[in-house]
Amino acid sequence: MLPSLNSVAVAVAAVPFFGFFFFLKRFLPSGRKMGSNTLPTVPEVPGLPMIGNLLQLKEKKPHKTFTKWAETHGPVYSIRTGASTVIVINSPETAKEAMVTRFSSISTRKLSNALKILTFDKCMVATSDYDEFHKLAKRCLLTNTLGSNAQRRHRHHREAMIENISSKLHDTLKKDPIRPINFREVFESELFGLAMKQALGKDVESIYVEEIGTLSRKEMHKVLVTDMMEGAIDVDWRDFFPYLRWIPNKSFEMNIQRKHFRRMALMNALIKDQMKRIDAGEEVNCYLDYLLSEAKTLTMDQLAMLLWETIIETADTTLVTTEWAMYQLAKDTIQQDRLYHELQKVCGSNKVKEENFSQIRYLDAVFHETLRKHSPAPLVPLRYVHEDTQIGGYHIPAGSEIAVNIYGCNMDKNYWENPEEWNPERFLDEKYDPLDLQKTMAFGAGKRACAGSLQAMLLACGAIGRLVQEFEWQLKDGEEEKVDTVGLTSQKLHPLLAVLKPRN
Ligand code: HEM
């Protein structure tokens, strides 16, 4: 992601001291020679000397500003965030060109200072460069957890999760049938449990961590998921002015290091706890057991990071998608009825199962339309251009950064009719293959496309299907307007509150 822009003001304050030198650096002819290249340079969004476009990006949702700018400057343009040049890509065609055709020139990542710490310097599949570590870790992740065979082996966890959600909702309604349900509270907790089972083999209820004390499950979620998602968008103003990195930014560093320390302490305690089980000869089909036996070259820190990666990736974006889908269905009752009738037609009085999904095209359409309209990852984490290349007919010089605006691609008026409307019907068109998980740009594209798309689809469709089969959903009064988002992923700012009525 782009480091966001809270500390722009601090950065601007530093300008007078360094202004003259950097003015020269920026505006005198630079070393950026085109050589024999004849392609035009990317259009620039006009900005200010030194700070470039930072002040124009004050609102916390850069993907929306980028989409607006695309209307004036076209699908590919460049901005300056302090010292860096960022090429912003806003249409599906140019995004695919960048992520697929030009992949070899832009396969490395550029991380903010916060992400360097939180990812333990790229020690995750999603944030690593395209190197040997990435290939080993991704192979393990797909083989044990996210590939189609692995997902088949983990199916009982998904079924248990959906049963638990259903019975918790029924129990709550029995106690108080008219009280609105906070969907997130129920779903988030169950999803976290599934993430722990896949990663560690057990849904841990509480744990003693030497460095922190005893943590409940809720506190574990905070340390492993919530704090990390917040930390990932924390801004170090030195991200924009790396030549000022010698100036300390103590409060930023302490905050991020504390989050990192707590996450590692907890992961190590969770691993240690499971090692007792493994030492006693009890093996479970989970990522920890697999990595210990198949990836023996990993250090303990790398092991902890890879396990944590599956937990955070499972626990966040699938929740974001499912919550938005239930919001839309509770708001648009015609679409909810249509889904219910299709579920009835295919499943009758049986509970919907994963093998039914391919027959219920409307369920697939609801999933993909939600991913399009509420793209959970609105910006792909920045890529770095390590050699001159081209995108959209423009010359892209080495040293630039690339921001793929997934939100912009999924809202592109040239590609989608009435993109502002949530309209699952658009995906019933024959041109869409029901098995294609990349109908929108939500999962990225090419070699670094999302490795968890199958799991996300199985979990979200399983939950949406069952929840509509068993309950009529209606938004609580006043909820319709609450469509603001918060954070790195497009999480609903206000948790969905809905009034549920059991069917039958
Ligand atoms: C609706 C849910 C999800 C969405 C919208 C989503 C979206 C994305 C996006 C946009 C990328 C970046 C692609 C790029 O850099 O080009 C990505 C990468 C990735 N995602 Fe997801 N994701 C979702 C769920 C998951 C889940 C559930 C997991 C795993 C448990 C997961 C694991 C990963 C991994 C490992 C990568 C890195 C792949 C690589 O670099 O090779 N994702 N995802």
Side-chain angles (χ1 to χ4, degrees):
M1 95 234 55
L2 276 179
S4 62
L5 305 150
N6 289 355
S7 52
V8 170
V10 183
V12 172
V15 167
F17 298 106
F18 305 96
F20 181 64
F21 171 73
F22 293 107
F23 179 82
L24 290 180
K25 191 168 183 292
R26 166 77 192 135
F27 290 102
L28 291 182
S30 70
R32 240 210 260 164
K33 295 242 161 55
M34 295 300 213
S36 58
N37 168 59
T38 51
L39 291 174
T41 52
V42 175
E44 281 181 30
V45 178
L48 295 172
M50 288 294 298
I51 56 169
N53 304 94
L54 284 176
L55 288 180
Q56 293 149 283
L57 287 165
K58 264 187 310 203
E59 74 148 324
K60 272 198 157 181
K61 299 188 175 58
H63 55 279
K64 293 205 169 163
T65 310
F66 291 165
T67 306
K68 237 181 282 155
W69 284 344
E71 287 171 16
T72 315
H73 302 282
V76 182
Y77 55 78
S78 76
I79 60 167
R80 277 185 310 106
T81 55
S84 310
T85 298
V86 181
I87 314 287
V88 187
I89 308 220
N90 296 279
S91 76
E93 293 82 6
T94 50
K96 279 182 195 152
E97 184 185 349
M99 291 196 270
V100 182
T101 321
R102 312 289 171 212
F103 177 75
S104 60
S105 309
I106 60 166
S107 61
T108 48
R109 296 276 188 206
K110 179 84 188 264
L111 300 186
S112 65
N113 289 338
L115 282 181
K116 268 185 215 142
I117 298 169
L118 296 178
T119 68
F120 205 60
D121 203 10
K122 303 190 176 179
C123 191
M124 294 169 69
V125 177
T127 56
S128 53
D129 292 331
Y130 192 59
D131 54 15
E132 287 313 308
F133 172 79
H134 173 85
K135 287 174 197 162
L136 166 76
K138 188 158 178 181
R139 197 171 53 244
C140 291
L141 182 59
L142 289 171
T143 309
N144 176 265
T145 312
L146 297 178
S148 50
N149 286 336
Q151 281 292 297
R152 225 168 280 138
R153 291 193 296 270
H154 288 301
R155 179 175 171 160
H156 60 291
H157 293 320
R158 296 191 292 279
E159 288 176 347
M161 170 184 140
I162 289 165
E163 281 307 321
N164 286 350
I165 293 173
S166 161
S167 45
K168 275 189 185 164
L169 292 178
H170 280 293
D171 287 351
T172 311
L173 289 174
K174 262 183 215 142
K175 282 182 208 136
D176 190 347
I178 53 169
R179 190 154 143 228
I181 299 273
N182 180 333
F183 169 77
R184 189 182 303 171
E185 244 169 46
V186 180
F187 194 82
E188 184 173 78
S189 164
E190 289 299 323
L191 193 59
F192 184 56
L194 174 131
M196 284 206 283
K197 284 186 207 164
Q198 284 190 167
L200 302 158
K202 191 176 170 199
D203 179 1
V204 181
E205 278 306 319
S206 73
I207 190 156
Y208 174 71
V209 184
E210 213 175 304
E211 299 86 340
I212 311 178
T214 301
L215 295 180
S216 67
R217 200 159 166 284
K218 216 171 172 170
E219 288 163 330
M220 283 191 262
H221 183 275
K222 180 164 162 33
V223 173
L224 298 181
V225 183
T226 319
D227 286 353
M228 294 290 127
M229 295 303 289
E230 279 171 18
I233 50 171
D234 212 349
V235 181
D236 181 352
W237 56 265
R238 296 169 303 182
D239 284 327
F240 305 120
F241 305 100
Y243 39 79
L244 301 181
R245 65 179 155 257
W246 52 272
I247 303 177
N249 188 357
K250 283 259 160 48
S251 64
F252 164 83
E253 272 161 24
M254 274 169 59
N255 180 26
I256 297 291
Q257 289 290 3
R258 181 173 177 273
K259 288 184 160 110
H260 169 58
F261 173 81
R262 287 166 65 85
R263 179 260 318 261
M264 288 311 250
L266 172 52
M267 283 310 302
N268 286 330
L270 286 165
I271 293 170
K272 228 160 113 190
D273 199 36
Q274 293 308 307
M275 293 298 277
K276 289 182 210 146
R277 159 180 69 75
I278 295 168
D279 290 343
E282 191 194 331
E283 273 187 40
V284 179
N285 172 27
C286 69
Y287 199 29
L288 170 64
D289 293 32
Y290 181 83
L291 289 177
L292 286 173
S293 76
E294 300 297 323
K296 294 198 168 85
T297 54
L298 294 177
T299 64
M300 273 311 281
D301 284 335
Q302 287 173 328
L303 183 75
M305 283 299 295
L306 292 180
L307 292 170
W308 167 76
E309 175 174 17
T310 67
I311 294 178
I312 190 156
E313 284 165 354
T314 296
D316 184 73
T317 43
T318 307
L319 162 69
V320 172
T321 311
T322 314
E323 188 174 36
W324 277 117
M326 296 319 297
Y327 162 85
Q328 290 291 168
L329 289 164
K331 173 169 165 264
D332 304 307
T333 45
I334 294 177
Q335 277 100 336
Q336 187 187 149
D337 287 347
R338 176 163 187 177
L339 177 56
Y340 176 68
H341 290 300
E342 292 211 11
L343 286 158
Q344 285 278 85
K345 207 164 71 193
V346 174
C347 311
S349 56
N350 298 320
K351 294 170 182 173
V352 57
K353 291 204 163 60
E354 288 178 2
E355 48 270 31
N356 303 132
F357 290 175
S358 61
Q359 295 160 276
I360 314 168
R361 288 204 62 183
Y362 201 68
L363 181 58
D364 179 66
V366 164
F367 174 63
H368 285 286
E369 179 62 346
T370 306
L371 286 176
R372 188 196 64 78
K373 172 86 199 293
H374 302 282
S375 309
L379 289 173
V380 172
L382 288 180
R383 297 267 178 86
Y384 183 72
V385 182
H386 62 267
E387 59 184 18
D388 283 4
T389 185
Q390 54 175 287
I391 298 173
Y394 294 111
H395 173 69
I396 309 290
S400 325
E401 293 165 38
I402 301 275
V404 176
N405 181 8
I406 290 186
Y407 169 87
C409 295
N410 286 338
M411 298 303 272
D412 183 350
K413 290 194 184 86
N414 300 313
Y415 202 84
W416 306 101
E417 211 181 314
N418 300 325
E420 289 297 332
E421 271 176 31
W422 185 78
N423 173 23
E425 276 72 7
R426 72 174 84 236
F427 287 111
L428 298 179
D429 192 300
E430 294 208 333
K431 70 180 180 215
Y432 294 111
D433 172 2
L435 298 177
D436 178 12
L437 283 170
Q438 298 193 348
K439 296 185 179 71
T440 70
M441 293 300 296
F443 290 122
K447 285 190 178 144
R448 302 297 294 263
C450 178
S453 51
L454 175 64
Q455 173 176 297
M457 182 278 283
L458 292 171
L459 280 168
C461 287
I464 297 165
R466 269 293 286 283
L467 294 173
V468 168
Q469 255 189 334
E470 294 190 15
F471 306 97
E472 278 176 48
W473 289 70
Q474 214 180 0
L475 289 180
K476 175 180 174 276
D477 286 346
E479 287 299 300
E480 194 166 329
E481 305 309 318
K482 295 184 180 165
V483 288
D484 213 350
T485 60
V486 63
L488 178 61
T489 50
S490 305
Q491 184 158 83
K492 230 177 149 289
L493 173 63
H494 305 281
L496 166 63
L497 294 180
V499 180
L500 270 59
K501 197 165 128 202
R503 297 192 192 262
N504 308 321

